Amino acid sequence: MTKRPTQYKDEALEILKNGKWSDAIVVTLIMLGISVGLGISVGISFVPFIGSIVGILIGGPLAYGFSVYFLNLSRGEHTEIGQIFDGFKRFVDCLLAYIVMMIVIVIGFILLIVPGIIAALALSQTFRIMKDDPTIKPVDALMKSHEMMKGHRMDYFILMLSFIGWALLCILTAGLGFLVLMPYATTALTLFYNDLAGHQSAEITELASHLDPKY
């Protein structure tokens, strides 16, 4: 059972305040720097063709590594900046998952914008699932994400939308504010996944008990 967006956001702030902000910002800077430089998010690169191909090749591994870092962070487990590159240890699986995911989402947007958004939400937990189950196949991880998100897509979407105001303010900082917003939002969204997956560390439980007397 998931909680209210404010609860996830409060828990995320408490986790990051515990000496985690600096490393989380560096991990985000690495992710954004590589993604923007190669145009991973939209498939358009500042280095035509070659950059786009490289972007496709490393998009999955980077997304996986980003998930690894924030999963460990959200659970009070060991974190280090180098975890952003953990996806290259599972390069083929991450690449296949990324390609299939992008194909499904793009087809959804071609049909209509709404199906594309629904597809993106349904498959959003793929790399987190792959982190939790090192033996799972890419297609199975995609299917498991789809099943896991049934009945929870709107809750996840609302949690994402709750950061819109902060995102607008970040634009006023020439984008620099996203270096703070992304770790904050990603930690909150990862806590949402932890609830869906039934994974709670002792640290999360303790934090929640202080933040919500009904927890």
Side-chain angles (χ1 to χ4, degrees):
M1 182 176 179
T2 58
K3 299 185 282 288
R4 297 187 303 273
T6 52
Q7 291 176 280
Y8 287 118
K9 293 165 80 171
D10 287 345
E11 289 179 32
L13 282 177
E14 288 299 320
I15 289 171
L16 289 165
K17 285 179 182 177
N18 191 25
K20 302 297 184 179
W21 271 115
S22 57
D23 281 0
I25 288 174
V26 172
V27 168
T28 301
L29 180 61
I30 294 171
M31 179 70 171
L32 285 177
I34 297 175
S35 298
V36 172
L38 293 174
I40 290 174
S41 60
V42 294
I44 300 173
S45 174
F46 299 137
V47 183
F49 184 70
I50 294 177
S52 296
I53 295 299
V54 174
I56 292 173
L57 290 174
I58 70 175
L62 278 179
Y64 176 89
F66 200 65
S67 296
V68 168
Y69 178 85
F70 281 97
L71 276 169
N72 290 340
L73 176 66
S74 71
R75 296 169 180 175
E77 299 174 359
H78 172 70
T79 59
E80 57 184 47
I81 294 172
Q83 288 171 345
I84 186 67
F85 300 112
D86 277 8
F88 292 96
K89 300 174 184 177
R90 298 182 63 183
F91 179 78
V92 175
D93 283 349
C94 291
L95 174 61
L96 290 175
Y98 183 75
I99 290 175
V100 175
M101 186 186 306
M102 289 301 102
I103 289 174
V104 172
I105 293 173
V106 168
I107 291 174
F109 275 103
I110 289 175
L111 294 174
L112 280 174
I113 293 177
V114 173
I117 294 175
I118 293 174
L121 292 170
L123 304 181
S124 60
Q125 310 306 321
T126 299
F127 291 111
R128 293 172 180 137
I129 290 169
M130 289 176 65
K131 189 273 182 185
D132 278 343
D133 185 357
T135 64
I136 196 169
K137 295 179 181 179
V139 174
D140 291 336
L142 289 160
M143 293 176 64
K144 186 172 181 178
S145 177
H146 182 270
E147 289 297 316
M148 179 181 288
M149 290 297 286
K150 284 183 177 178
H152 299 288
R153 291 191 293 256
M154 183 56 69
D155 292 335
Y156 194 73
F157 188 55
I158 291 172
L159 178 56
M160 293 174 66
L161 286 179
S162 71
F163 292 97
I164 287 294
W166 289 109
L168 294 175
L169 289 176
C170 288
I171 294 174
L172 299 178
T173 66
L176 293 177
F178 285 105
L179 293 177
V180 175
L181 177 59
M182 281 193 66
Y184 176 28
T186 303
T187 303
L189 292 169
T190 303
L191 289 170
F192 184 99
Y193 165 79
N194 285 340
D195 278 354
L196 291 186
H199 190 295
Q200 285 191 324
S201 69
E203 181 176 334
I204 292 173
T205 304
E206 182 180 356
L207 284 172
S209 67
H210 291 297
L211 294 169
D212 186 356
K214 295 181 180 180
Y215 184 81

